[in-house]
Amino acid sequence: MNKTSENTPDLAAMTLGEIAVRLPGATAIFRRYGLDFCCGGGARLHDAVRAPGIALEQIMRELQLLDANAARDYPATAPALIDHILQRYHETHRRELPELILLAKKVERVHAAHPMAPLGLSDALRAMAQELEAHMMKEEIVLFPMMRLGAHPGIAHPIARMRHEHDDHGERLREVEGLYRGGVLPDDACGSWRALYAGVRKLADDLMQHIHLENNVLFPQFATELPTTPLCPGMLTPNERAG
Ligand SMILES: [Fe+2]
Ligand SMILES: [Fe+2]
């Protein structure tokens, strides 16, 4: 589709992040095709679908069936959006990740000899939980309170840092998705194994939507340019503060 008008935008030339914001339901399509709309949200659709096996025309057809005026499942204003992110995503990650780690340890132990056992998954989930916790604390203690006060000249720094850490979460998520083999279960998988993979799939969906809402919806309301001055101490890691 090359047409560019207000009603029929050139979706192929838009970034995945822009499409995800513009079209409710687009994120589910992107997930189905393995397109990264959160950390990789800056890629244009026609560039993002160059991977083998992905058909631009098919994705475009599905996107064009979506209604840009359909209700969104998140609020528009920054304070309400922050509340939504905290309740729907921060609390959910904190509640579900410890259970997933325990479940992964059990499946790895009981099925250690199985050729499809997700060995190493519990360690990867634990590392993800630690990184996420440190990241969410920074948002809750520093960035979100700054945002609740409104626009601030120094806000670009913590936003840039959080975007960088989101990229790290994306790397960790790819590691987790590799270890659980994209959720493909053996025919003889037990209930725990099935529950583990269902939980990891939900975690991945939640984490991508969480990062998408911050990168593509919340952060652009406050800063669009990279900072040029030093980061405030509250956003640094202990090692960075010591150095
Ligand atoms: Fe967050
Ligand atoms: Fe975040």
Side-chain angles (χ1 to χ4, degrees):
M1 176 170 121
N2 296 316
K3 180 93 176 97
T4 54
S5 73
E6 190 152 336
N7 293 327
T8 56
D10 185 2
L11 290 174
M14 291 172 68
T15 67
L16 299 182
E18 289 169 342
I19 296 170
V21 171
R22 178 187 176 89
L23 293 174
T27 55
I29 294 173
F30 290 156
R31 282 289 285 156
R32 192 149 32 81
Y33 285 97
L35 296 173
D36 179 3
F37 57 91
C38 54
C39 299
R44 298 192 184 283
L45 179 60
H46 56 56
D47 293 325
V49 298
R50 288 201 174 129
I54 302 182
L56 175 62
E57 294 72 20
Q58 176 61 29
I59 295 177
M60 296 277 281
R61 270 196 294 276
E62 293 187 35
L63 289 172
Q64 286 160 357
L65 292 175
L66 299 175
D67 178 4
N69 296 315
R72 282 149 177 82
D73 63 357
Y74 55 85
T77 64
L81 181 55
I82 289 170
D83 288 340
H84 173 72
I85 287 169
L86 292 173
Q87 291 161 13
R88 172 62 184 83
Y89 297 103
H90 287 211
E91 285 184 17
T92 301
H93 295 328
R94 286 184 172 118
R95 185 174 65 249
E96 296 183 355
L97 261 164
E99 293 299 324
L100 283 180
I101 293 167
L102 290 175
L103 206 47
K105 282 173 72 173
K106 177 182 174 188
V107 170
E108 287 181 58
R109 186 181 68 250
V110 173
H111 301 286
H114 196 292
M116 291 181 69
L119 302 180
L121 182 56
S122 61
D123 285 343
L125 288 169
R126 189 180 302 105
M128 174 185 275
Q130 290 170 348
E131 290 168 4
L132 261 180
E133 181 58 35
H135 172 85
M136 293 190 298
M137 287 290 284
K138 291 178 193 173
E139 290 178 338
E140 292 164 14
I141 293 172
V142 180
L143 180 58
F144 290 170
M146 285 176 82
M147 288 178 163
R148 290 186 194 278
L149 294 174
H152 183 283
I155 209 165
H157 302 291
I159 285 177
R161 169 52 63 107
M162 294 301 97
R163 284 188 186 278
H164 182 73
E165 292 186 2
H166 290 166
D167 291 344
D168 293 341
H169 298 332
E171 287 293 315
R172 184 69 69 185
L173 184 57
R174 276 186 281 281
E175 179 191 356
V176 165
E177 291 189 313
L179 287 169
Y180 102 127
R181 301 163 185 265
V184 177
L185 287 157
D187 292 340
D188 57 346
C190 65
S192 294
W193 203 336
R194 292 178 188 281
L196 171 64
Y197 280 17
V200 171
R201 182 173 291 109
K202 178 179 183 298
L203 168 73
D205 288 344
D206 281 354
L207 185 56
M208 290 194 72
Q209 186 67 15
H210 177 183
I211 293 173
H212 159 62
L213 287 181
E214 292 175 353
N215 276 3
N216 301 322
V217 183
L218 180 63
F219 294 173
Q221 296 184 30
F222 293 89
T224 56
E225 295 181 1
L226 288 175
T228 56
T229 49
L231 204 61
C232 64
M235 302 306 286
L236 297 172
T237 65
N239 285 344
E240 287 168 332
R241 277 198 291 274

